[in-house]
Amino acid sequence: MRLETEALGVRFQNPFFLAAGTCGFGLELAEVLDIEALGGFVTKSVTLEPRVGNAPPRVAEFKGGMLNSIGLANPGLERTKREKLPWIRDNICRPRVLVSIAGHTVVEFFTLVEGLDSEDGFLGFEINLSCPNDAERTGEPFALNPSAVAEIISGCRIRTERPIVAKLAPNDPDLSRTVKVVTEEGANALTLVNTLPRALLDISNDVPELGAGDGGISGPALRPSGLHAVREASSATHLPLFGVGGVMTATTAVEYAHAGASLVQMGTASFAWPRAVTEAIAGLLQWGQEQRISAWDDLVSRPPGVNAPANRLEDLFDPIESSGEG
Ligand code: RRO
């Protein structure tokens, strides 16, 4: 089975990414995983300032998956530019890299895009609109506020010509509307979904298991929410979709393709078993051969009329000129 696929103006050697927050900036996994085998990865979300993150414990396991409240621990904009992106530029060859950015305010997203845009080593930005664990903010994540979403995406759009990918929330009561806003404001793809905000309690002392209280669910328990969101989004936009949430194996990736995702991101599985992603890639090849499927792209199901994502970078950013009207 041919695993290559095209989106965001480039070719991916296969549809498997590692999700934001599960692989640092790549070098953290270089010793335990053949990173060059990946379709790509998304970095840990970068904030303007370095952050140590939330109080421990920051992760708790349960039968259906994992709960986390890392709290955006990351080296901040300047160290990302000085140390992390140069390593990616010098060491990552075939996988495509998205840099995840997270502002505590709308304007911080713009500063992050402006600060990173001239650096080498990455394809585009994943705009994290849906972090459930930002202690600097009160209330809902940006993803649940359509006017904030519009402001952030349109403001990022005018500041970069790189692809921008909006990462949305699993608990959006009107996801179709948010997807349409993101599409209209000029994003190039969507990542569905971030973790689902919930809690676990320790019955021995009746307090939350996580130091921060609530956290976000990931792993198998998130898969139905991720699939539901991808299906809903695929009817609301022509943009390519990254499916995330309980991608553990080749067949869970196929499930996301049937829902409409042309790429997938694995997260929790690689915490449990760092090589889960390379095994899933090998498993997908084998499964495809057994099922006599000739290409991954043939598995990606989009409703009629939304099956033609732009593939050339020029088409994405200069539609008037490339259609000959300019
Ligand atoms: O750092 C985190 O606690 C975190 C982030 Br930024 C996110 O987007 N999703 C998540 O589950 N955890």
Side-chain angles (χ1 to χ4, degrees), residues 26-63:
L27 74 166
E28 293 84 345
L29 280 190
E31 302 220 325
V32 291
L33 171 71
D34 176 15
I35 297 186
E36 282 297 309
L38 300 173
F41 66 86
V42 190
T43 69
K44 178 65 187 163
S45 291
V46 178
T47 52
L48 280 183
E49 78 292 6
R51 293 182 64 80
V52 292
N54 289 344
R58 297 178 183 184
V59 294
E61 286 180 47
F62 64 102
K63 264 215 167 104

Short mmCIF file of all heavy atoms in Angstrom, two decimals, residues 26-63:
data_model
loop_
_atom_site.label_atom_id
_atom_site.label_comp_id
_atom_site.label_asym_id
_atom_site.label_seq_id
_atom_site.Cartn_x
_atom_site.Cartn_y
_atom_site.Cartn_z
N GLY A 26 11.61 16.61 19.35
CA GLY A 26 12.20 15.59 18.49
C GLY A 26 13.42 14.94 19.13
O GLY A 26 13.47 13.72 19.28
N LEU A 27 14.36 15.75 19.60
CA LEU A 27 15.60 15.17 20.12
C LEU A 27 15.35 14.31 21.36
O LEU A 27 16.06 13.34 21.59
CB LEU A 27 16.66 16.24 20.41
CG LEU A 27 16.56 17.15 21.62
CD1 LEU A 27 17.89 17.86 21.84
CD2 LEU A 27 15.46 18.18 21.46
N GLU A 28 14.30 14.61 22.09
CA GLU A 28 13.97 13.84 23.30
C GLU A 28 13.65 12.38 22.95
O GLU A 28 13.77 11.50 23.80
CB GLU A 28 12.78 14.47 24.02
CG GLU A 28 13.06 15.85 24.63
CD GLU A 28 12.89 17.01 23.63
OE1 GLU A 28 12.84 16.76 22.40
OE2 GLU A 28 12.84 18.16 24.10
N LEU A 29 13.23 12.12 21.70
CA LEU A 29 12.87 10.74 21.33
C LEU A 29 13.89 10.10 20.40
O LEU A 29 13.76 8.93 20.03
CB LEU A 29 11.49 10.72 20.65
CG LEU A 29 10.28 10.78 21.57
CD1 LEU A 29 9.02 10.51 20.77
CD2 LEU A 29 10.38 9.76 22.69
N ALA A 30 14.90 10.89 20.02
CA ALA A 30 15.82 10.42 18.98
C ALA A 30 16.52 9.12 19.36
O ALA A 30 16.88 8.33 18.50
CB ALA A 30 16.83 11.50 18.65
N GLU A 31 16.72 8.90 20.66
CA GLU A 31 17.45 7.69 21.07
C GLU A 31 16.58 6.46 21.14
O GLU A 31 17.09 5.35 21.19
CB GLU A 31 18.10 7.93 22.44
CG GLU A 31 19.02 9.12 22.39
CD GLU A 31 20.30 8.91 23.15
OE1 GLU A 31 20.25 8.24 24.19
OE2 GLU A 31 21.33 9.44 22.70
N VAL A 32 15.28 6.65 21.22
CA VAL A 32 14.42 5.48 21.41
C VAL A 32 13.55 5.15 20.20
O VAL A 32 12.85 4.16 20.19
CB VAL A 32 13.49 5.65 22.65
CG1 VAL A 32 14.29 5.61 23.93
CG2 VAL A 32 12.66 6.92 22.54
N LEU A 33 13.64 5.99 19.18
CA LEU A 33 12.70 5.85 18.06
C LEU A 33 13.41 6.28 16.78
O LEU A 33 14.19 7.23 16.79
CB LEU A 33 11.52 6.78 18.36
CG LEU A 33 10.49 7.01 17.28
CD1 LEU A 33 9.66 5.75 17.11
CD2 LEU A 33 9.58 8.17 17.66
N ASP A 34 13.09 5.63 15.68
CA ASP A 34 13.61 6.06 14.37
C ASP A 34 12.72 7.20 13.88
O ASP A 34 11.77 6.99 13.13
CB ASP A 34 13.59 4.87 13.41
CG ASP A 34 14.03 5.30 12.02
OD1 ASP A 34 14.59 6.42 11.88
OD2 ASP A 34 13.78 4.53 11.07
N ILE A 35 13.07 8.41 14.30
CA ILE A 35 12.22 9.56 13.97
C ILE A 35 12.09 9.74 12.47
O ILE A 35 11.05 10.19 11.97
CB ILE A 35 12.78 10.86 14.59
CG1 ILE A 35 12.79 10.76 16.10
CG2 ILE A 35 11.96 12.07 14.18
CD1 ILE A 35 13.18 12.02 16.78
N GLU A 36 13.14 9.38 11.74
CA GLU A 36 13.10 9.57 10.28
C GLU A 36 12.00 8.75 9.60
O GLU A 36 11.66 8.99 8.45
CB GLU A 36 14.47 9.25 9.67
CG GLU A 36 15.48 10.38 9.85
CD GLU A 36 15.06 11.68 9.13
OE1 GLU A 36 14.73 11.61 7.95
OE2 GLU A 36 15.04 12.74 9.79
N ALA A 37 11.45 7.77 10.33
CA ALA A 37 10.38 6.95 9.74
C ALA A 37 9.02 7.64 9.80
O ALA A 37 8.06 7.21 9.15
CB ALA A 37 10.30 5.62 10.48
N LEU A 38 8.92 8.73 10.56
CA LEU A 38 7.61 9.37 10.76
C LEU A 38 7.18 10.20 9.55
O LEU A 38 8.02 10.72 8.83
CB LEU A 38 7.67 10.33 11.96
CG LEU A 38 8.01 9.77 13.33
CD1 LEU A 38 8.18 10.90 14.33
CD2 LEU A 38 6.91 8.82 13.77
N GLY A 39 5.86 10.36 9.42
CA GLY A 39 5.36 11.36 8.49
C GLY A 39 5.72 12.76 8.98
O GLY A 39 6.00 13.67 8.20
N GLY A 40 5.69 12.92 10.29
CA GLY A 40 6.05 14.21 10.88
C GLY A 40 5.81 14.19 12.37
O GLY A 40 5.44 13.17 12.94
N PHE A 41 6.06 15.35 13.00
CA PHE A 41 5.69 15.49 14.40
C PHE A 41 5.37 16.95 14.71
O PHE A 41 5.74 17.85 13.94
CB PHE A 41 6.76 14.92 15.35
CG PHE A 41 8.09 15.64 15.35
CD1 PHE A 41 8.33 16.75 16.15
CD2 PHE A 41 9.14 15.17 14.56
CE1 PHE A 41 9.57 17.38 16.15
CE2 PHE A 41 10.38 15.80 14.56
CZ PHE A 41 10.59 16.90 15.36
N VAL A 42 4.65 17.13 15.81
CA VAL A 42 4.31 18.48 16.27
C VAL A 42 5.08 18.70 17.57
O VAL A 42 5.07 17.84 18.46
CB VAL A 42 2.80 18.63 16.54
CG1 VAL A 42 2.45 20.09 16.78
CG2 VAL A 42 1.97 18.06 15.40
N THR A 43 5.74 19.84 17.67
CA THR A 43 6.54 20.12 18.88
C THR A 43 5.63 20.35 20.09
O THR A 43 4.43 20.62 19.94
CB THR A 43 7.39 21.39 18.72
OG1 THR A 43 6.50 22.53 18.70
CG2 THR A 43 8.25 21.35 17.48
N LYS A 44 6.22 20.32 21.25
CA LYS A 44 5.53 20.81 22.46
C LYS A 44 5.09 22.25 22.20
O LYS A 44 5.80 23.02 21.54
CB LYS A 44 6.50 20.74 23.66
CG LYS A 44 5.91 21.27 24.97
CD LYS A 44 4.74 20.44 25.46
CE LYS A 44 4.04 21.08 26.68
NZ LYS A 44 2.70 20.51 26.91
N SER A 45 3.93 22.62 22.74
CA SER A 45 3.47 24.00 22.55
C SER A 45 4.48 24.98 23.15
O SER A 45 4.90 24.83 24.30
CB SER A 45 2.12 24.21 23.21
OG SER A 45 1.11 23.50 22.53
N VAL A 46 4.81 25.98 22.36
CA VAL A 46 5.77 27.01 22.79
C VAL A 46 4.99 28.24 23.22
O VAL A 46 4.08 28.70 22.53
CB VAL A 46 6.72 27.37 21.61
CG1 VAL A 46 7.69 28.46 22.02
CG2 VAL A 46 7.45 26.13 21.12
N THR A 47 5.36 28.77 24.39
CA THR A 47 4.80 30.04 24.86
C THR A 47 5.88 31.12 24.78
O THR A 47 7.06 30.80 24.56
CB THR A 47 4.31 29.92 26.33
OG1 THR A 47 5.38 29.40 27.13
CG2 THR A 47 3.12 28.98 26.44
N LEU A 48 5.49 32.37 24.98
CA LEU A 48 6.50 33.43 24.93
C LEU A 48 7.57 33.21 25.98
O LEU A 48 8.76 33.29 25.72
CB LEU A 48 5.84 34.79 25.18
CG LEU A 48 5.12 35.45 24.02
CD1 LEU A 48 4.60 36.82 24.45
CD2 LEU A 48 6.05 35.57 22.82
N GLU A 49 7.13 32.92 27.21
CA GLU A 49 8.08 32.77 28.32
C GLU A 49 8.36 31.30 28.58
O GLU A 49 7.51 30.45 28.29
CB GLU A 49 7.50 33.44 29.58
CG GLU A 49 6.44 32.65 30.34
CD GLU A 49 5.08 32.45 29.65
OE1 GLU A 49 4.91 32.81 28.48
OE2 GLU A 49 4.18 31.86 30.30
N PRO A 50 9.54 30.97 29.13
CA PRO A 50 9.77 29.58 29.54
C PRO A 50 8.82 29.25 30.68
O PRO A 50 8.50 30.11 31.51
CB PRO A 50 11.21 29.58 30.05
CG PRO A 50 11.78 30.91 29.75
CD PRO A 50 10.67 31.85 29.47
N ARG A 51 8.33 28.00 30.73
CA ARG A 51 7.40 27.61 31.79
C ARG A 51 7.83 26.28 32.39
O ARG A 51 8.19 25.36 31.67
CB ARG A 51 5.98 27.45 31.22
CG ARG A 51 5.38 28.76 30.76
CD ARG A 51 3.96 28.55 30.26
NE ARG A 51 3.07 28.11 31.32
CZ ARG A 51 2.53 28.89 32.24
NH1 ARG A 51 2.77 30.19 32.22
NH2 ARG A 51 1.74 28.39 33.16
N VAL A 52 7.75 26.21 33.73
CA VAL A 52 8.09 24.93 34.38
C VAL A 52 6.89 24.01 34.42
O VAL A 52 7.04 22.80 34.60
CB VAL A 52 8.65 25.13 35.82
CG1 VAL A 52 10.01 25.80 35.78
CG2 VAL A 52 7.67 25.89 36.69
N GLY A 53 5.71 24.54 34.29
CA GLY A 53 4.51 23.70 34.25
C GLY A 53 3.80 23.62 35.58
O GLY A 53 4.18 24.27 36.55
N ASN A 54 2.76 22.81 35.61
CA ASN A 54 1.89 22.73 36.79
C ASN A 54 2.48 21.84 37.89
O ASN A 54 3.43 21.09 37.65
CB ASN A 54 0.51 22.21 36.38
CG ASN A 54 -0.26 23.25 35.57
OD1 ASN A 54 0.09 24.43 35.56
ND2 ASN A 54 -1.30 22.82 34.87
N ALA A 55 1.84 21.90 39.06
CA ALA A 55 2.31 21.11 40.21
C ALA A 55 2.17 19.61 39.92
O ALA A 55 1.19 19.20 39.28
CB ALA A 55 1.47 21.47 41.43
N PRO A 56 3.11 18.78 40.38
CA PRO A 56 2.97 17.33 40.21
C PRO A 56 1.92 16.78 41.18
O PRO A 56 1.61 17.46 42.17
CB PRO A 56 4.37 16.80 40.54
CG PRO A 56 4.98 17.84 41.43
CD PRO A 56 4.36 19.17 41.06
N PRO A 57 1.41 15.57 40.95
CA PRO A 57 1.61 14.77 39.74
C PRO A 57 0.91 15.41 38.54
O PRO A 57 -0.16 16.00 38.66
CB PRO A 57 0.96 13.44 40.09
CG PRO A 57 0.41 13.51 41.46
CD PRO A 57 0.56 14.90 41.97
N ARG A 58 1.55 15.25 37.38
CA ARG A 58 1.02 15.88 36.17
C ARG A 58 0.32 14.90 35.25
O ARG A 58 -0.31 15.32 34.28
CB ARG A 58 2.16 16.51 35.39
CG ARG A 58 2.84 17.62 36.14
CD ARG A 58 3.96 18.10 35.27
NE ARG A 58 4.72 19.13 35.93
CZ ARG A 58 5.71 19.79 35.35
NH1 ARG A 58 6.05 19.49 34.11
NH2 ARG A 58 6.36 20.70 36.00
N VAL A 59 0.55 13.61 35.49
CA VAL A 59 -0.18 12.61 34.70
C VAL A 59 -0.72 11.52 35.61
O VAL A 59 -0.13 11.23 36.66
CB VAL A 59 0.70 11.95 33.60
CG1 VAL A 59 1.11 12.94 32.54
CG2 VAL A 59 1.91 11.27 34.19
N ALA A 60 -1.84 10.97 35.25
CA ALA A 60 -2.42 9.84 35.98
C ALA A 60 -3.02 8.89 34.95
O ALA A 60 -3.67 9.33 34.00
CB ALA A 60 -3.50 10.33 36.95
N GLU A 61 -2.76 7.60 35.15
CA GLU A 61 -3.32 6.62 34.22
C GLU A 61 -4.64 6.11 34.76
O GLU A 61 -4.86 6.07 35.96
CB GLU A 61 -2.38 5.44 34.08
CG GLU A 61 -1.16 5.74 33.25
CD GLU A 61 -0.26 4.53 33.15
OE1 GLU A 61 -0.77 3.43 32.87
OE2 GLU A 61 0.96 4.70 33.37
N PHE A 62 -5.51 5.70 33.88
CA PHE A 62 -6.71 4.95 34.26
C PHE A 62 -6.97 3.94 33.15
O PHE A 62 -6.27 3.94 32.13
CB PHE A 62 -7.91 5.89 34.50
CG PHE A 62 -8.37 6.63 33.28
CD1 PHE A 62 -9.49 6.22 32.58
CD2 PHE A 62 -7.69 7.75 32.81
CE1 PHE A 62 -9.92 6.90 31.44
CE2 PHE A 62 -8.11 8.43 31.68
CZ PHE A 62 -9.23 8.01 31.00
N LYS A 63 -7.94 3.07 33.36
CA LYS A 63 -8.09 1.96 32.41
C LYS A 63 -8.29 2.39 30.97
O LYS A 63 -7.79 1.75 30.06
CB LYS A 63 -9.26 1.06 32.84
CG LYS A 63 -8.80 -0.13 33.65
CD LYS A 63 -9.67 -1.34 33.34
CE LYS A 63 -9.04 -2.60 33.89
NZ LYS A 63 -9.66 -3.08 35.10
#
